[in-house]
Amino acid sequence: MEPSLRSAPHSVKRWQLGGTDYDPQRSQTLFSTWTPLNHKPGNLQLYEERMNLVLHWFDLWTDRQRKHLLHSLLTRCTRSQLKHCRDLLIETVPVTRVDFTAVLPRFLSLYVMSFLTPRDLCSAGQVSWHWRVLAEQDCLWAGRCIRRGWFLPYAPGEKEFGAWKNHYVSCFSTLDWLTPREAAEQYGTLNQPSTEEEEERRKERMIRQMIRDKLQEEKRLSMRTRRAWGSYTKPGGDRGGRPSSGLTFRSWPSLSWPPRTAGSPSLCLSLDRGQPMTAAPSLERVQTYTSSERPNKASGALSSFTYRPAPPHSPPHIHLSSPTLLLLISNRIPAYELLLSGVKAGVIVVLYDHRGTLSALLAQAERAVSGQTAQRLGLLAPGGTEEIHLLHSSSLSEKTLLTPDCRDFWENLCGWVAPTEEGGGIDIFSPLAASASGVALIQTLSTLTGLEVRAPTGLATGSFQNILSEWSDSSVGTGLSDQQPTSPALQYVCESLLQGWCTQAQWMEEALEELRSCLGPQLQRVSLQARGRALGHLLWEEICLEELCVSKDLNEALTEGLTALNRQEETRPLEFLAVFLTRWREQKEREESSDDFSLSPHKSEKGLSRSRIPELPQTVLDWRGAAARELHHSECVYLGRLGAVMKVYQEPLTAALNSNRAILSFADIHIVLSPVTQILELNRVFQADLQARLQQWGAEQCVGDVFVKLCSKLRVYTNYLNNYATAIRTIDKCRETKPRFWAFLKRSDRTIATHMLSLQELLLCPVWRIQEYVTLLQALSVHTHHGHPDHTHLSSALSTLLRFREFIQKSKGNSERDRQMEETQRMIQGCPNLSEGNRQLIITQNAALLRSPDEQIPDSLRTYEQVSDVGLFLFNDALVLTRRNVHHTPFTLAHRSTHTFLASVALSSLAVREITHTRYVSHAFVLEGPCRSWVCATERGEEREHFLYVLRSAIDSALTEH
């Protein structure tokens, strides 16, 4: 202690107090530390005096001494006392008032500010100089400018500050808005800076475009100046006075979907990209013969020529065909062959392999377009309401759209589509407009490409029927576009065929699987597109589905009429059916009139007609009500199918069991049908609640709480899905081992009472229904604003059903993976056990095993001879090579293949090397293992490129895991 403090006066006095702890000898001690414990007033007085003394000393100490005292005191405090000190410090110096830019690292502060809007960033820049420096960083403003097509016309200097912000403010004040298409034309690509290679490519494209425009101008000029057909005269004038002839193109009938007539050919195909063949030269081909130019491969129509005399000195009248459309179809779509056979004339079809890459798909589309400009772009690929599975390794969603690869793909692809001002746009055949994330994807894609994007709203359930429902566009956020006479999908595919495919795609896929296995070997050398057209046309000709395609109402009326006729024993069935249909029509008319009156209570029943509703603007219609009515209607159909399981299967089987004539045992009936009973009871309650809400429907009516009630009991569906595989195996086992059950199924399956479905197909209905619930709930959520009382319940139910849908997809994927492994195990003879660990089959590829007679010869001169046919089975951890033996059946074209195990190589020790294409070998590659190597070759180059791409990706993944 300092000397001045030692000599300072103090206020400690002697204390002489009575008490049990009083000691006269201790009371004589000066500056005593004794404290009276049993005398509270004296204790308190002594405490106050000592505390004042310590505080007086504390005031006189230096900062270092004070900190030392505080450290000594805090180290002697208990945990509760330290908590009290913490609370006191928080109350005195709150942590919430700390400047986060001074505490956090610089990159975290910039990351926080990146979520602010431009207006908020400008406001933040007025807080302090430090905040202004952060708020005007180029990393915060460059992205905002680039997304709007605003680029700096110069390169900012090293010490230049706030260049991008100043550019943003100047562009925003002058409303300098450029779409990505216009920005790409002015500044180049949006993804990466211009390089020498990119400049060369751009110059090459410009030169090609100039040559293309010049050729088109010469074509138009030659067509204006050339003489008409049949008007050729000798040099020196027209001596015979023969009038000139005019050339008219009256009709352009499609050969891709010819009319069903007696004299029409049954199959018209073109092996060049699957385009239809022409029987007479079209306009482009006539020009090709005269000017030796390249033919227009997009034209697939038959030209009809008519000779008509034309007035002198008048140019020929030419009726050009409709604008070209581009349609991308994935081979993962069920029954895609049927769609190929019905593509209209003037539509350029690109059938691509789902296992490929974005660059390969872009190159395939570029070859198909051949420099033309498509009016619209159509996309038909597997997907749902939130994303589209464009390729096996690439999905299109709101998150993946702005990645460099996907963004570059769409910018290049949409460069071949006409601008929006000329009617250009994109048609996506997936119900993206049914969900908020799908609508956001539509708007983002429209902003990126500068084109109108349309997609179905998902208000129709069952298979792919939403394609034929209402469509939305990118110009209206969650509303619908102007009502059109037909669905946009009908611009690409014939109506009757598209309707048949939308309703029966799943069942047609099973039939086409048999056709692929039977006719596939005979069409191996034909392109995938031409092969698909042939199979689809053959299937359509055989099933004659267009003769069975009737309207939805007529189909429902006939079904119920035949059901009622089946219940009663009528001697005159035709008269009974006629009376039933008449009563059905009268009941429908009464329901429509009551619905019309409920839509407008202020108008009379006669003044409002249902036929006038489509003429109203789309924004006036109650889309929440439309989605709710579709939900109720599809729920009734769903309950009808579940009720058919109970009535057609459970009741007769239970009655036979009770009468001691059992067809199935009680345990088998319980395994197969008991879960369906629980689901039926649950959904009957749900349907009754939903019907009660619809009877009192209004703008503020809620259905979300009904869904929440259903979602609270989804354990019934979980038990059903866990038991589904066991139920299917039980049906197959009983069908094989119990003849009476086989006869029962043969008598009961695919009848009017079962909606023409089998027992196994009826048991799939709950799985399909979950997806329909998700789609309709997303449609309801999109058309329900945030302030609506039903919004919270709809969001909660939707999140629950989305998680449940992921559980279903995971179960389905596991089942599919196990099935593939079992089939592969049975296919390969002498193969070790493949079902080990988490092994999955990725791809299979047929190839030829080659051998070189002399390894010392240079690669460019080396020859190879085929040793045998091999099969390459690629798993996620190994590559299995098999010897493939082809066995042809006598007197037929069919053949079958068998596989014998040859070798197995772990991916972590496998190397791949390509062999350069020479005159002696093509499409070859080398697989190098730790002990030996194999030289293999595929039939086509596309197969080799795809297999090597997948193989290298699997090797990289295996090395990463290892």
Side-chain angles (χ1 to χ4, degrees):
M1 186 177 293
E2 297 179 1
S4 60
L5 295 178
R6 293 177 181 177
S7 61
H10 55 82
S11 59
V12 179
K13 299 180 181 180
R14 298 181 182 179
W15 291 89
Q16 295 182 5
L17 299 174
T20 57
D21 55 346
Y22 175 72
D23 189 0
Q25 296 181 356
R26 294 176 55 187
S27 64
Q28 301 298 326
T29 305
L30 192 64
F31 304 105
S32 174
T33 59
W34 165 79
T35 301
L37 300 177
N38 297 331
H39 193 272
K40 291 184 179 180
N43 190 354
L44 180 60
Q45 181 181 359
L46 185 59
Y47 169 77
E48 291 178 353
E49 289 184 3
R50 290 178 177 177
M51 186 180 65
N52 293 333
L53 179 60
V54 172
L55 293 178
H56 175 71
W57 290 342
F58 189 85
D59 295 337
L60 297 178
W61 288 340
T62 62
D63 181 76
R64 182 177 180 182
Q65 292 172 342
R66 292 180 182 182
K67 292 179 180 178
H68 182 69
L69 175 64
L70 292 176
H71 177 72
S72 302
L73 291 176
L74 291 177
T75 54
R76 286 174 172 81
C77 292
T78 61
R79 191 177 186 84
S80 61
Q81 294 166 357
L82 290 175
K83 289 182 178 178
H84 176 72
C85 295
R86 181 198 61 188
D87 298 338
L88 184 62
L89 289 175
I90 291 176
E91 183 178 359
T92 307
V93 187
V95 180
T96 55
R97 298 181 183 178
V98 175
D99 186 2
F100 73 94
T101 61
V103 178
L104 297 177
R106 182 186 179 89
F107 74 95
L108 288 180
S109 302
L110 292 174
Y111 178 73
V112 172
M113 287 189 173
S114 65
F115 292 97
L116 298 179
T117 61
R119 185 185 297 273
D120 294 336
L121 279 175
C122 294
S123 301
Q126 301 176 4
V127 174
S128 62
W129 282 103
H130 181 59
W131 279 52
R132 180 182 177 183
V133 171
L134 293 177
E136 292 185 1
Q137 291 295 317
D138 291 342
C139 61
L140 298 178
W141 294 93
R144 290 175 167 83
C145 293
I146 292 174
R147 282 196 298 269
R148 292 165 175 82
W150 301 337
F151 293 84
L152 276 177
Y154 65 96
E158 295 181 358
K159 298 183 180 181
E160 187 173 357
F161 180 73
W164 282 98
K165 178 189 176 183
N166 297 332
H167 186 62
Y168 182 94
V169 173
S170 62
C171 292
F172 188 84
S173 59
T174 57
L175 297 179
D176 185 12
W177 175 271
L178 289 179
T179 63
R181 177 189 292 271
E182 298 170 346
E185 294 177 356
Q186 183 171 353
Y187 300 103
T189 179
L190 302 180
N191 295 329
Q192 55 187 2
S194 300
T195 60
E196 296 181 359
E197 183 180 358
E198 198 64 33
E199 289 292 338
E200 292 295 333
R201 292 180 181 177
R202 188 177 298 111
K203 290 180 181 179
E204 183 180 356
R205 286 196 296 267
M206 292 175 60
I207 294 173
R208 289 181 178 178
Q209 185 63 33
M210 292 173 59
I211 296 174
R212 207 176 290 120
D213 295 342
K214 187 67 176 178
L215 292 176
Q216 292 293 336
E217 184 64 27
E218 291 179 358
K219 285 183 181 180
R220 288 193 292 267
L221 184 61
S222 63
M223 291 303 299
R224 292 194 188 101
T225 57
R226 64 175 294 184
R227 293 180 178 273
W229 222 356
S231 61
Y232 174 76
T233 57
K234 297 180 179 180
D238 188 2
R239 299 178 181 178
R242 184 177 179 180
S244 61
S245 62
L247 178 63
T248 22
F249 301 90
R250 288 191 304 177
S251 60
W252 301 77
S254 170
L255 273 184
S256 61
W257 184 248
R260 186 182 295 276
T261 57
S264 63
S266 61
L267 184 61
C268 299
L269 293 173
S270 172
L271 302 185
D272 186 9
R273 293 183 191 157
Q275 296 298 331
M277 296 184 296
T278 56
S282 61
L283 174 61
E284 290 80 6
R285 295 189 182 275
V286 172
Q287 295 174 359
T288 303
Y289 301 151
T290 57
S291 58
S292 301
E293 296 174 358
R294 196 166 104 180
N296 185 358
K297 296 183 180 181
S299 176
L302 177 66
S303 305
S304 299
F305 302 97
T306 303
Y307 172 80
R308 292 182 181 178
H313 309 290
S314 62
H317 299 282
I318 302 175
H319 298 170
L320 298 178
S321 61
S322 59
T324 304
L325 302 176
L326 177 62
L327 179 60
L328 306 181
I329 300 180
S330 171
N331 64 346
R332 283 291 301 274
I333 290 293
Y336 67 88
E337 295 93 341
L338 203 63
L339 287 175
L340 283 177
S341 64
V343 173
K344 293 184 177 180
V347 178
I348 302 176
V349 183
V350 177
L351 177 64
Y352 66 91
D353 193 345
H354 183 75
R355 304 170 300 177
T357 59
L358 288 177
S359 59
L361 175 57
L362 187 63
Q364 187 178 357
E366 185 177 7
R367 290 194 300 268
V369 172
S370 299
Q372 301 180 74
T373 299
Q375 186 68 21
R376 297 193 69 88
L377 170 65
L379 176 61
L380 181 57
T385 56
E386 298 174 347
E387 64 177 357
I388 300 172
H389 303 290
L390 189 61
L391 296 170
H392 176 73
S393 58
S394 176
S395 296
L396 177 61
S397 63
E398 185 184 2
K399 297 180 180 179
T400 61
L401 178 60
L402 298 180
T403 57
D405 294 340
C406 190
R407 186 171 185 171
D408 184 65
F409 169 79
W410 283 103
E411 286 178 357
N412 294 330
L413 182 63
C414 294
W416 305 321
V417 183
T420 306
E421 296 77 12
E422 301 178 7
I426 304 174
D427 299 323
I428 301 178
F429 293 31
S430 295
L432 294 178
S435 65
S437 57
V439 172
L441 172 60
I442 292 175
Q443 295 175 350
T444 307
L445 183 60
S446 176
T447 304
L448 175 65
T449 59
L451 299 173
E452 176 196 18
V453 182
R454 299 185 297 188
T457 58
L459 295 182
T461 56
S463 192
F464 295 91
Q465 297 187 46
N466 50 59
I467 295 178
L468 301 176
S469 65
E470 294 82 2
W471 284 56
S472 68
D473 56 37
S474 58
S475 59
V476 182
T478 58
L480 299 177
S481 60
D482 296 335
Q483 186 74 11
Q484 300 178 356
T486 57
S487 173
L490 298 179
Q491 300 177 9
Y492 302 88
V493 188
C494 296
E495 181 177 2
S496 60
L497 191 144
L498 183 61
Q499 289 180 352
W501 177 81
C502 288
T503 56
Q504 306 291 335
Q506 300 294 342
W507 285 267
M508 291 178 181
E509 174 67 17
E510 298 183 5
L512 280 167
E513 286 182 358
E514 297 295 331
L515 284 178
R516 293 176 197 140
S517 60
C518 296
L519 301 181
Q522 283 71 43
L523 301 174
Q524 282 292 339
R525 297 188 177 274
V526 184
S527 65
L528 182 63
Q529 186 171 337
R531 188 191 317 167
R533 285 180 180 269
L535 295 179
H537 196 96
L538 176 61
L539 177 65
W540 186 262
E541 290 290 337
E542 291 296 329
I543 63 177
C544 300
L545 191 61
E546 78 279 6
E547 299 179 1
L548 303 177
C549 287
V550 295
S551 64
K552 186 177 180 180
D553 295 337
L554 181 58
N555 189 13
E556 185 179 356
L558 288 175
T559 301
E560 295 200 9
L562 293 175
T563 304
L565 181 63
N566 191 25
R567 294 173 184 171
Q568 302 179 9
E569 297 180 359
E570 290 289 337
T571 58
R572 295 177 295 179
L574 294 179
E575 295 182 3
F576 173 81
L577 190 59
V579 173
F580 180 86
L581 293 178
T582 303
R583 293 178 180 176
W584 174 273
R585 179 180 59 84
E586 295 176 353
Q587 181 181 0
K588 284 295 181 181
E589 290 179 354
R590 289 195 298 269
E591 292 178 356
E592 290 178 359
S593 61
S594 61
D595 292 343
D596 294 339
F597 181 77
S598 62
L599 286 175
S600 180
H602 302 288
K603 296 184 180 181
S604 61
E605 183 177 355
K606 297 181 180 180
L608 183 61
S609 175
R610 188 176 182 89
S611 61
R612 296 180 57 187
I613 292 180
E615 300 177 2
L616 298 175
Q618 289 287 348
T619 54
V620 177
L621 298 179
D622 181 18
W623 295 110
R624 290 190 73 249
R629 285 189 290 273
E630 176 63 27
L631 174 63
H632 178 262
H633 171 73
S634 58
E635 186 70 19
C636 293
V637 175
Y638 175 55
L639 288 179
R641 293 179 177 179
L642 293 183
V645 176
M646 298 294 100
K647 183 176 181 180
V648 178
Y649 296 98
Q650 187 183 37
E651 293 181 2
L653 291 175
T654 306
L657 181 64
N658 296 333
S659 61
N660 295 327
R661 296 180 179 179
I663 300 176
L664 286 182
S665 63
F666 176 79
D668 294 336
I669 296 175
H670 181 77
I671 292 174
V672 175
L673 302 176
S674 177
V676 182
T677 306
Q678 301 174 5
I679 292 180
L680 183 59
E681 295 176 356
L682 174 63
N683 282 82
R684 280 175 178 172
V685 177
F686 172 72
Q687 190 266 346
D689 295 341
L690 191 62
Q691 184 176 2
R693 300 297 174 89
L694 284 177
Q695 290 176 354
Q696 301 176 357
W697 185 257
E700 299 297 324
Q701 184 60 272
C702 300
V703 294
D705 54 341
V706 180
F707 263 107
V708 171
K709 181 180 177 181
L710 176 66
C711 293
S712 64
K713 301 180 181 179
L714 280 181
R715 185 178 296 275
V716 176
Y717 277 85
T718 305
N719 297 334
Y720 177 83
L721 292 174
N722 293 333
N723 183 69
Y724 176 73
T726 305
I728 295 298
R729 287 195 296 267
T730 302
I731 294 175
D732 295 339
K733 181 190 67 176
C734 295
R735 186 176 179 274
E736 295 176 358
T737 58
K738 299 180 179 180
R740 299 185 62 184
F741 183 64
W742 178 83
F744 173 77
L745 289 181
K746 186 178 180 181
R747 183 174 61 253
S748 303
D749 282 348
R750 303 190 185 279
T751 60
I752 297 177
T754 61
H755 302 268
M756 305 306 297
L757 301 174
S758 64
L759 177 58
Q760 292 85 346
E761 293 167 352
L762 288 172
L763 293 180
L764 266 176
C765 291
V767 180
W768 297 338
R769 189 57 181 165
I770 294 297
Q771 177 60 45
E772 293 177 357
Y773 281 151
V774 171
T775 304
L776 292 173
L777 260 182
Q778 288 174 335
L780 280 170
S781 300
V782 166
H783 299 290
T784 303
H785 58 84
H786 292 277
H788 197 278
D790 201 22
H791 184 267
T792 304
H793 289 154
L794 287 177
S795 302
S796 175
L798 181 58
S799 61
T800 304
L801 286 176
L802 285 174
R803 291 193 300 269
F804 195 77
R805 186 184 66 175
E806 293 179 0
F807 166 70
I808 295 177
Q809 293 174 352
K810 184 178 180 180
S811 302
K812 183 179 179 181
N814 294 336
S815 177
E816 182 69 17
R817 184 172 65 251
D818 296 341
R819 183 184 63 83
Q820 288 183 352
M821 295 297 293
E822 292 177 0
E823 292 180 354
T824 306
Q825 187 74 52
R826 291 195 301 266
M827 186 187 306
I828 305 176
Q829 301 176 3
C831 181
N833 185 21
L834 297 176
S835 302
E836 296 178 354
N838 195 21
R839 182 172 295 160
Q840 302 177 15
L841 178 64
I842 300 178
I843 188 177
T844 61
Q845 178 63 50
N846 294 332
L849 185 62
L850 306 180
R851 180 180 60 187
S852 176
D854 190 358
E855 299 292 339
Q856 303 298 327
I857 303 177
D859 293 342
S860 59
L861 302 176
R862 187 179 302 174
T863 59
Y864 292 89
E865 59 182 5
Q866 181 174 349
V867 178
S868 63
D869 293 328
V870 294
L872 305 176
F873 294 82
L874 178 61
F875 298 90
N876 59 339
D877 60 344
L879 177 66
V880 176
L881 289 85
T882 63
R883 185 181 302 275
R884 185 168 60 93
N885 300 318
V886 181
H887 306 278
H888 288 81
T889 305
F891 304 104
T892 62
L893 297 176
H895 67 269
R896 61 185 181 89
S897 300
T898 59
H899 294 265
T900 306
F901 179 77
L902 189 63
S904 176
V905 184
L907 294 184
S908 57
S909 59
L910 180 66
V912 184
R913 178 171 57 87
E914 297 184 22
I915 297 180
T916 306
H917 179 78
T918 64
R919 59 185 298 182
Y920 304 107
V921 65
S922 59
H923 317 316
F925 55 93
V926 181
L927 302 174
E928 297 179 349
C931 300
R932 57 169 300 186
S933 61
W934 299 268
V935 180
C936 304
T938 59
E939 290 188 2
R940 289 183 291 271
E942 295 83 0
E943 295 180 353
R944 185 190 73 162
E945 297 298 330
H946 172 64
F947 177 75
L948 293 184
Y949 170 78
V950 177
L951 178 59
R952 290 191 177 106
S953 301
I955 291 175
D956 295 339
S957 301
L959 291 176
T960 303
E961 295 177 358
H962 184 71

